[in-house]
Amino acid sequence: MKGIVLAGGSGTRLHPTSLAISKQLIPVYDKPTIYYPLSTLMLAGITDILIISNPDDLPQFERLLGDGSQLGLRITYTAQAHPNGIAESLVLGADHIGDDSVALILGDNVFHGPRFSPMLREISRSLDGCVLFGYQVHDPERYGVGEVDADGKLISIEEKPTRPRSDRAITGLYFYDNNVVDIAKNIQPSARGELEITDVNLRYLADGKATMIDLGRGFTWLDTGTPEALLSASQFVHVLETRQQVYIACLEEIALRMGFIDADACYELGLKLSKSDYGRYVMKLAKNWGAGN
């Protein structure tokens, strides 16, 4: 399975900060926002990842992440000249996807919950159609909304409905089989001139190939597209990391635990950041896993 992180857009809701820096590079507490969606793909076992952003911001992502080899990944980059909709990322990423399935995640989404990695890996192994993730919200009219029947079967999808049929927002994480490339290439722009991801999902629903998994209680999903949401996400990460003494979305730790790199490589990555608490955490972790032995 391939991965795509859509890290484009102009971030107008975060102006003036995002006038100078991509919103996906603004910190969520102690690390760039893009670390969080990248960590989600890594937890799914995905190592071949395409980052899509606007041409001005791509060099910043390349400076931060390079080719990904230091983490046991293969990271490539593609420009999205204009923000023409989420589904355009599947068209721009067609060559990257090739004959494979794909997990697409929005670059400003934060996911955290129990047994997340095993769930994602199981989905990637058995994928047939598309899998969406629902999350209970108090304001579903702001989101794409999924409705399920009494048996949990997905029966409708609506984009920002005036009268929502459910309170389950569809999050910014999507798993698709290889048919998604042709589907995305053949949808028409919406009234606002964008290729809507909801139209892709509706095609799968019409074919009986769409499933929505309810993330449920004990799980947290945040998007960081406004100053308030960015602050809330930072406070959430700060509280968890301080109380549990475990870092969230630490790419080096995930790479080590997933077997993408060994303990010595992990230690070297931490050493480069050793003047920060983050770097010292990575070094300590690597030593506990046998670095230097």
Side-chain angles (χ1 to χ4, degrees), residues 43-63:
L43 287 169
I46 297 169
T47 58
D48 195 345
I49 298 169
L50 174 69
I51 294 175
I52 299 175
S53 189
N54 65 64
D56 291 337
D57 290 334
L58 276 180
Q60 300 175 51
F61 290 107
E62 293 187 63
R63 185 163 57 249

Side-chain angles (χ1 to χ4, degrees), residues 14-249:
L14 287 168
H15 283 174
T17 304
S18 54
L19 289 172
I21 185 173
S22 165
K23 66 178 181 177
Q24 290 87 7
L25 293 173
I26 296 172
V28 172
Y29 181 47
D30 56 357
K31 60 191 75 71
T33 296
I34 197 170
Y35 271 43
Y36 297 87
L38 269 177
S39 72
T40 297
L41 296 182
M42 291 171 69
L43 287 169
I46 297 169
T47 58
D48 195 345
I49 298 169
L50 174 69
I51 294 175
I52 299 175
S53 189
N54 65 64
D56 291 337
D57 290 334
L58 276 180
Q60 300 175 51
F61 290 107
E62 293 187 63
R63 185 163 57 249
L64 175 68
L65 299 166
D67 64 3
S69 59
Q70 73 279 10
L71 295 167
L73 308 177
R74 178 179 182 267
I75 297 178
T76 52
Y77 303 87
T78 291
Q80 183 183 40
H82 304 285
N84 293 325
I86 296 172
E88 188 185 37
S89 64
L90 298 163
V91 179
L92 294 172
D95 289 341
H96 169 71
I97 296 168
D99 296 327
D100 215 333
S101 54
V102 62
L104 166 65
I105 189 167
L106 304 187
D108 60 359
N109 274 221
V110 177
F111 293 85
H112 182 73
R115 295 194 56 75
F116 193 36
S117 181
M119 177 178 69
L120 296 179
R121 282 181 281 165
E122 176 58 30
I123 291 169
S124 68
R125 284 192 295 266
S126 58
L127 184 63
D128 180 21
C130 88
V131 174
L132 312 173
F133 298 85
Y135 189 82
Q136 185 177 19
V137 295
H138 70 275
D139 51 354
E141 65 278 357
R142 293 181 53 230
Y143 303 93
V145 175
E147 177 192 11
V148 298
D149 62 17
D151 297 322
K153 181 181 178 181
L154 184 63
I155 57 175
S156 77
I157 299 171
E158 296 180 287
E159 181 65 25
K160 298 180 180 177
T162 304
R163 296 181 178 178
R165 297 179 183 177
S166 87
D167 59 0
R168 292 307 193 269
I170 296 174
T171 71
L173 175 62
Y174 318 88
F175 280 65
Y176 297 110
D177 65 18
N178 191 255
N179 292 322
V180 75
V181 174
D182 286 337
I183 292 172
K185 286 180 177 179
N186 285 289
I187 63 172
Q188 298 300 311
S190 65
R192 59 178 183 167
E194 295 189 2
L195 297 181
E196 306 287 353
I197 200 67
T198 294
D199 289 338
V200 172
N201 297 337
L202 284 170
R203 171 65 183 275
Y204 276 102
L205 182 64
D207 292 342
K209 291 285 191 176
T211 302
M212 186 172 74
I213 295 175
D214 189 351
L215 293 175
R217 293 185 64 180
F219 207 98
T220 298
W221 167 60
L222 302 163
D223 87 48
T224 60
T226 67
E228 294 81 6
L230 190 62
L231 176 60
S232 294
S234 293
Q235 290 172 329
F236 170 77
V237 172
H238 172 255
V239 168
L240 283 185
E241 291 187 351
T242 302
R243 295 289 180 88
Q244 298 179 357
Q245 295 297 298
V246 173
Y247 275 55
I248 296 172

